[in-house]
């Protein structure tokens, strides 16, 4: 992935997040990290490891299991001028935070006519693989994209993971940072000096002329794997990572679609009422009367996530299924060609228990 | 205090069965045949067995992802449980549930949840419905002390007491939520007082003695069944393995070897084995091993579910 200078320092996605948080904690004494297990010996897959030792127990601490109140706690601390980072090991737990995030955090600035603001960061990790099942595998970004007053970031590369975390911490609004367990081991170039990603700035990860594939979070990895498969049948795919889901960089995506005439959105969630629906509609509105294009939404199969591996393999989009559906979008009759399987190493090699 | 031999045999059989099943899960896990998180009850079996010994087939059980012990203690089907852990077609939910969501309506166990505290309020509605239908059955809901951090525990306790619902609350207090000690989550560890604040009679059973757990549960179940409203039991216990997965966990450094050793020394499995004659013990052990061997074979031989089955049962 060409997300940084050649020859620079490599970090994993998890290390990049950890570095961003540490640097921001050094920079600003108002930044603190809290949530279930953040100060335990595993330190949230290493991303918060030992922060309580370095910065003290006031700035990195465990909480009772009380997501509703603990979210409100963060909102209150943010109103009082601090920059809390609330961490959730699975995004599924955000359902217990919904009231505080949607009815309180998202509304404070507006209802106070700007007198109050809520610089709160909510980190949410999507689980996948090893039978995470129906309640430990969900991605709820579209729920939050729907709500004015909330921002949503979903980095896929180590470089963007660091930039997004810093941007989220520095922003004066509630920001949900959606991370993916299957991205944590990915390595890439990450500059050491702090830098912030730009809200509403998509990233073109690979250029192409025939189809635009917008992929979200872990699906970026699968879309990049699908690209050479499509090349085998002469289709050149442009891969766009929105990075920032709310606000969304409609311009970059629309520009790409204006060139290719085809848009496929591959989401890390279900397609119905999802980010893909929003992206297709927004691009359509932007290009209306200028450029007609064909469109496709891909996502999880419309069922809860099954536990057993053979059904999981059907449930999630893969490089192969993405390539096949994008080929069909481009008018390739099925039977013309069969996409190969490409092993998703991070999934095939993942071992539990969690 | 002496206990009648039939009771000792029955309790030992269940303790042994659950322990050996989970030891087999530990043994098999490195083969990757069980591709799902497992939360073992090794060390905690006496709570499930002591409480469930007082429940009948019509009584309803709700629980958590740490569900193997309660399911088996409630009279669960080991073949289908193992097939579920293997992700196979003959599993309890044909591979859709895995270890974290064991459920079997035939055994009176409604599917368990991996979101802490979420089955607590379900017990309210189920108990309400049972009473409305004039059923003599009660609802028993198991949860860890971690669930008592959640607001929903308090909302549930309040409503249960308000409506005098037939619910037995069983808190398995193993003192840890993953690696977080209860003292780091509560200013005072007063679980019974919390229930009593809602006027729910509560008892704490310290030390893990299975006979004490069984006796307290018997009294509580009788009171609930008689229409006396909810009861609360706090059963102190200790899990011996890591929060999730088959491993030991002393190397992680969040708890001490001495703490664990004291609980191992009080193992109820070994205690009851000692109370039984050699002949009875050997007979039970052999039966348990035979049942496990059959279940493993059943799970191995069951096919994986066909892809199209994934779409079944999203809706009724
Ligand atoms: C609402 C919610 N928050 C957090 C988690 C993550 N989590 C899973 S198990 C667990 C600890 C629960 O401890 P306890 O209730 O005491 O049960 P035990 O695991 O000890 O049986 C936590 C925090 C979760 N599953 N659900």
């Amino acid at each position: 992935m060409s997300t940084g200078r050649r020859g620079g320092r490599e970090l994993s996605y998890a290390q990049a997040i950890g570095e961003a948080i540490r640097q921001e904690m050094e920079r600003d004494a108002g930044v603190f990290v809290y949530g279930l297990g953040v100060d335990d010996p595993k330190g949230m897959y290493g991303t918060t490891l030992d922060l309580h030792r370095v910065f003290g127990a006031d700035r990195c601490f465990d909480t009772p299991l009380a997501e509703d109140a603990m979210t409100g706690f963060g909102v209150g601390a943010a109103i009082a001028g601090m920059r809390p980072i609330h961490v959730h090991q699975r995004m599924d737990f955000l359902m217990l935070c919904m009231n505080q995030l949607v009815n309180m955090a998202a509304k404070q600035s507006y209802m106070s006519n700007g007198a109050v603001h809520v610089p709160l960061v909510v980190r949410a990790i999507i689980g996948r693989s090893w039978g995470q099942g129906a309640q430990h595998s969900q991605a709820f970004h579209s729920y939050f994209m729907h709500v004015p007053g909330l921002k949503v970031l979903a980095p896929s590369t180590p470089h963007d993971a660091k930039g997004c975390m810093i941007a989220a911490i520095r922003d004066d609004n509630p920001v949900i940072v959606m991370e993916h367990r299957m991205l944590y081991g990915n390595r890439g170039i990450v500059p050491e000096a702090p830098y912030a990603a730009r809200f509403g700035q998509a990233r073109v990860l690979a250029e192409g002329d025939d189809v635009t594939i917008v992929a979200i979070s872990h699906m970026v990895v699968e879309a990049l794997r699908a690209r050479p498969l499509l090349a085998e049948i002469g289709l050149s795919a442009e891969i766009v990572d929105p990075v920032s889901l709310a606000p969304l960089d409609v311009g970059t995506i629309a520009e790409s679609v204006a060139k290719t005439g085809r848009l496929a959105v591959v989401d890390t969630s279900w397609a119905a009422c999802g980010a893909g629906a929003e992206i297709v509609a927004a691009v359509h509105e932007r290009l209306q009367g200028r450029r007609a294009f064909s469109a496709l939404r891909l996502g999880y199969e419309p069922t809860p996530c099954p536990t057993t591996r053979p059904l999981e393999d059907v449930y999630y989009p893969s490089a192969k299924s993405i390539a096949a559906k994008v080929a069909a979008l481009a008018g390739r009759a099925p039977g013309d060609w069969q996409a190969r399987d490409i092993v998703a190493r991070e999934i095939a090699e993942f071992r539990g228990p969690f | 205090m002496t206990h009648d031999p039939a009771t000792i045999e029955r309790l030992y059989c269940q303790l042994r069965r659950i322990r050996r099943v989970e030891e087999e899960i530990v043994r098999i896990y490195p083969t990757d045949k069980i591709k799902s998180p497992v939360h073992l009850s090794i060390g905690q079996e006496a709570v499930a067995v002591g409480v469930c010994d007082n429940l009948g087939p019509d009584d309803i059980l709700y629980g958590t992802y740490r569900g193997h012990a309660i399911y088996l203690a409630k009279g669960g089907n080991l073949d289908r449980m193992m097939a579920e852990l293997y992700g196979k077609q003959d599993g309890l939910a044909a591979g859709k549930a895995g270890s974290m969501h064991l459920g079997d309506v035939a055994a009176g166990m409604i599917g368990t949840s991996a979101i802490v505290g979420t089955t607590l309020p379900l017990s309210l509605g189920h108990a309400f419905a049972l009473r409305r239908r004039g059923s003599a059955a009660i609802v028993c809901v198991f949860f860890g002390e971690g669930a008592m951090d959640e607001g929903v525990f308090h909302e549930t306790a309040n409503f249960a007491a308000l409506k005098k619902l037939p619910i037995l609350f069983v808190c398995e207090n193993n003192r840890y939520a993953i690696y977080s000690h209860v003292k780091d989550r509560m200013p005072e560890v007063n679980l019974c007082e919390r229930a009593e604040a809602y006027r729910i009679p509560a008892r704490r059973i310290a030390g893990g003695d299975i006979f004490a757990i069984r006796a307290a549960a018997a009294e509580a179940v009788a009171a609930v069944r008689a229409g006396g409203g909810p009861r609360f039991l706090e059963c102190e216990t200790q899990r011996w393995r890591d929060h999730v997965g088959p491993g030991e966990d002393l190397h992680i450094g969040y708890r001490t070897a001495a703490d664990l050793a004291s609980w191992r020394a009080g193992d109820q499995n070994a205690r009851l084995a000692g109370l039984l004659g050699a002949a009875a013990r050997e007979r039970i052990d052999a039966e348990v091993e035979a049942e496990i061997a059959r279940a493993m074979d059943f799970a191995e031989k069951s096919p994986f579910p066909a892809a199209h089955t994934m779409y079944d049962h999203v809706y009724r």
Side-chain angles (χ1 to χ4, degrees):
Chain A
M1 262 171 255
S2 56
T3 59
R5 276 178 307 115
R6 282 176 67 95
R9 182 193 56 148
E10 272 201 6
L11 290 184
S12 72
Y13 185 95
Q15 288 168 330
I17 290 168
E19 180 169 276
I21 294 173
R22 266 193 317 282
Q23 288 177 343
E24 288 303 285
M25 288 178 81
E26 279 160 10
R27 187 187 60 79
D28 181 345
V31 178
F32 70 93
V33 176
Y34 72 107
L36 292 168
V38 292
D39 62 356
D40 79 14
K42 294 192 175 162
M44 215 39 68
Y45 307 111
T47 60
T48 60
L49 195 64
D50 290 334
L51 289 178
H52 62 294
R53 295 219 165 84
V54 178
F55 295 101
D58 275 357
R59 296 189 63 198
C60 177
F61 53 90
D62 191 27
T63 72
L65 287 81
E67 289 80 0
D68 183 6
M70 290 301 99
T71 305
F73 159 79
V75 175
I79 287 172
M82 305 202 73
R83 295 189 176 270
I85 306 174
H86 192 189
V87 188
H88 299 274
Q89 194 166 19
R90 287 291 176 272
M91 194 166 201
D92 310 70
F93 309 153
L94 286 196
M95 292 301 93
L96 286 82
C97 310
M98 210 61 178
N99 183 47
Q100 284 293 332
L101 290 175
V102 174
N103 284 326
M104 299 302 285
K107 309 294 194 276
Q108 294 306 308
S109 174
Y110 193 78
M111 295 194 306
S112 69
N113 201 28
V116 165
H117 60 277
V118 181
L120 169 70
V121 178
V122 178
R123 288 181 55 196
I125 303 166
I126 306 168
R128 173 171 172 186
S129 209
W130 212 258
Q132 291 288 313
Q135 297 175 331
H136 273 53
S137 59
Q138 298 171 98
F140 295 126
H141 44 295
S142 69
Y143 298 16
F144 299 107
M145 289 166 68
H146 183 65
V147 180
L150 298 180
K151 296 185 179 182
V152 185
L153 300 175
S156 73
T157 65
H159 183 278
D160 283 339
K162 177 170 176 177
C164 284
M165 192 57 61
I166 291 178
I169 294 168
R170 294 182 186 175
D171 196 77
D172 281 339
N173 300 284
V175 182
I176 320 274
V177 181
M178 185 167 84
E179 304 164 20
H180 199 294
R181 180 75 181 87
M182 290 296 114
L183 292 172
Y184 269 30
N186 278 8
R187 299 185 69 79
I189 307 241
V190 178
E192 196 160 343
Y195 57 94
R198 273 180 45 207
F199 285 93
Q201 175 70 63
R203 187 184 283 288
V204 177
L205 286 169
E207 292 189 0
D209 300 319
D210 301 320
V211 58
T212 301
I213 302 180
V214 175
I216 294 169
S217 186
H218 178 248
M219 282 300 140
V220 170
V221 176
E222 296 288 23
L224 288 167
R225 288 190 181 116
R227 195 165 177 272
L229 298 178
L230 292 164
E232 286 172 13
I233 51 168
L235 285 176
S236 113
E238 182 144 306
I239 312 290
V240 184
D241 176 355
V243 186
S244 169
L245 292 170
L248 183 67
D249 181 359
V250 181
T252 296
I253 301 169
E255 204 177 297
S256 171
V257 177
K259 173 175 68 174
T260 63
R262 299 185 184 98
L263 170 60
V265 184
V266 192
D267 200 357
T268 310
S269 190
W270 302 290
C273 295
E278 176 59 26
I279 290 168
V280 170
V283 171
H284 179 77
E285 284 169 352
R286 186 68 62 93
L287 294 182
Q288 198 145 229
R290 237 178 4 110
R291 174 71 152 112
F293 64 96
S294 50
L296 171 69
R297 288 171 296 152
L298 290 172
Y300 300 166
E301 287 298 296
T303 74
C305 181
T307 308
T308 190
R309 179 59 65 87
L311 298 190
E312 264 188 345
D313 289 343
V314 182
Y315 176 76
Y316 290 106
S318 62
K320 178 179 172 159
S321 70
I322 294 167
K325 286 177 179 154
V326 169
L329 179 74
R332 290 289 172 145
D336 264 13
W337 157 84
Q338 269 277 337
R340 284 180 291 123
D341 260 323
I342 295 196
V343 177
R345 280 191 35 223
E346 67 282 10
I347 290 156
E349 290 171 8
F350 185 82
R351 290 291 174 277
F354 198 65
Chain B
M1 187 167 157
T2 57
H3 304 280
D4 73 280
T7 301
I8 296 173
E9 279 198 19
R10 197 173 62 249
L11 297 179
Y12 174 73
C13 179
Q14 286 289 33
L15 287 174
R16 173 83 184 170
R17 181 172 176 244
I18 296 165
R19 173 70 54 87
R20 287 289 306 124
V21 165
E22 292 203 321
E23 285 175 351
E24 280 299 285
I25 292 170
V26 170
R27 189 180 65 79
I28 287 162
Y29 210 75
T31 66
D32 295 344
K33 284 181 175 162
I34 299 173
K35 287 191 182 62
S36 87
V38 290
H39 300 76
L40 301 181
S41 292
I42 291 178
Q44 301 193 181
E45 302 95 334
V47 184
V49 174
V51 169
C52 291
D53 196 52
N54 298 286
L55 299 179
D58 292 340
D59 291 324
I60 297 295
L61 191 57
Y62 280 92
T64 76
Y65 50 87
R66 198 176 303 288
H68 304 161
I70 54 171
Y71 176 60
L72 293 174
K74 185 70 170 56
N77 179 321
L78 182 60
D79 290 358
R80 297 196 60 208
M81 174 179 131
M82 283 315 304
E84 188 59 37
L85 266 59
Y86 273 61
K88 298 294 188 71
Q89 177 185 294
D90 299 300
L92 289 164
K96 288 175 169 140
S99 166
M100 294 200 289
H101 309 296
L102 287 184
D104 183 358
V105 172
M109 180 148 131
I110 311 302
T112 56
S113 173
I115 309 292
V116 173
T118 41
T119 53
L120 280 163
L122 272 56
S123 74
L124 295 172
H126 211 131
F128 176 80
L130 289 175
R131 189 173 63 192
R132 279 281 297 276
R133 282 198 223 109
S135 166
I138 69 164
V139 178
C140 176
V141 56
F142 273 72
F143 48 96
E145 88 294 336
M148 291 186 64
D149 294 5
E150 296 279 3
V152 74
F153 170 79
H154 298 270
E155 298 171 31
T156 300
N158 182 59
F159 192 78
L162 180 71
K163 299 288 179 190
K164 294 198 168 43
L165 292 169
I167 301 173
L168 175 62
F169 293 101
V170 180
C171 175
E172 292 187 272
N173 180 7
N174 64 14
R175 296 176 306 290
Y176 288 95
I178 310 186
Y179 307 135
S180 170
H181 196 279
V182 63
K183 283 187 182 154
D184 295 325
R185 291 178 284 117
M186 294 182 181
E188 192 183 338
V189 185
N190 55 350
L191 306 182
C192 285
E193 277 177 43
R194 291 176 183 217
E196 282 161 354
Y198 300 102
R199 302 293 176 262
I200 299 177
R203 274 188 65 184
R204 169 178 159 82
I205 300 100
D209 176 342
I210 189 167
F211 295 114
I213 294 167
R214 178 170 172 270
E219 193 194 333
V221 166
V224 172
R225 218 184 283 288
R231 290 286 186 282
F232 177 94
L233 297 178
E234 173 197 349
C235 301
E236 197 196 6
T237 187
Q238 172 95 307
R239 79 173 142 70
W240 293 3
R241 301 259 160 183
D242 203 345
H243 167 75
V244 58
E248 311 269 356
D249 68 358
L250 283 178
H251 65 280
I252 295 170
Y254 72 99
R255 59 176 173 175
T256 65
D259 184 24
L260 194 55
S262 72
W263 280 91
R264 281 183 183 267
D267 181 21
Q268 298 298 297
N269 242 286
R271 176 184 176 204
L272 265 60
L275 293 177
L276 283 176
R281 194 175 65 234
E282 281 162 22
R283 174 176 48 75
I284 292 170
D285 289 358
E287 283 167 11
V288 164
E289 294 310 312
E291 187 193 4
I292 293 173
R294 271 196 315 274
M296 294 300 174
D297 189 51
F298 179 84
E300 290 276 353
K301 288 192 176 134
S302 175
F304 281 108
H308 68 83
T309 64
M310 189 175 78
Y311 304 93
D312 296 342
H313 306 299
V314 177
Y315 300 99
R316 176 95 187 218

